[in-house]
């Protein structure tokens, strides 16, 4: 399986956030999403699907709104990195 992308300064710059926010989003994703299913590579899922499914999954994982937002922004940034796109949140 391909590794889940590590947050980079470029990802943070592209998303207009601090790298620490992406690091935390990845940590939350890594710690919570594998409890119920395999981790999905961010680049394999369409950004609109992430936007639709993350609120539901965050609720199941009992994430705060802040944690949910960090995960979503990380996934958008990681998707853009995989596909060479500049995705805004």
């Amino acid at each position: 399986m391909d590794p889940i992308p590590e947050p980079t300064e470029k990802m943070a710059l592209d998303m207009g956030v601090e790298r620490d926010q992406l690091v935390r989003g990845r940590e939350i994703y890594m710690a919570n999403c594998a409890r119920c299913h395999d981790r999905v590579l961010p680049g394999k899922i369409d950004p609109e699907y992430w936007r639709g499914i993350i609120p539901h999954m965050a609720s199941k994982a009992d994430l705060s709104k802040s944690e949910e937002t960090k995960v979503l922004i990380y996934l958008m940034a990681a998707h853009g990195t995989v596909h060479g796109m500049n995705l805004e949140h």
Side-chain angles (χ1 to χ4, degrees):
M1 178 163 77
D2 294 332
I4 305 297
E6 294 283 343
T8 65
E9 289 297 329
K10 182 178 182 331
M11 287 167 71
L13 183 62
D14 287 349
M15 295 302 290
V17 298
E18 296 293 323
R19 183 177 167 275
D20 290 346
Q21 183 175 351
L22 296 178
V23 168
R24 184 67 184 128
R26 184 181 186 276
E27 289 171 352
I28 296 164
Y29 179 74
M30 298 297 283
N32 289 281
C33 297
R35 285 192 280 164
C36 298
H37 52 76
D38 290 337
R39 288 182 197 106
V40 177
L41 291 173
K44 295 209 183 255
I45 302 290
D46 181 86
E48 290 307 312
Y49 184 78
W50 281 128
R51 285 185 181 102
I53 196 69
I54 290 300
H56 174 70
M57 292 290 114
S59 175
K60 290 182 123 208
D62 199 28
L63 300 181
S64 69
K65 192 66 176 168
S66 174
E67 290 170 323
E68 175 187 334
T69 299
K70 286 177 176 73
V71 169
L72 182 58
I73 291 171
Y74 163 73
L75 291 170
M76 296 292 103
H79 184 279
T81 296
V82 169
H83 294 283
M85 296 182 285
N86 181 357
L87 299 175
E88 295 182 14
H89 61 285

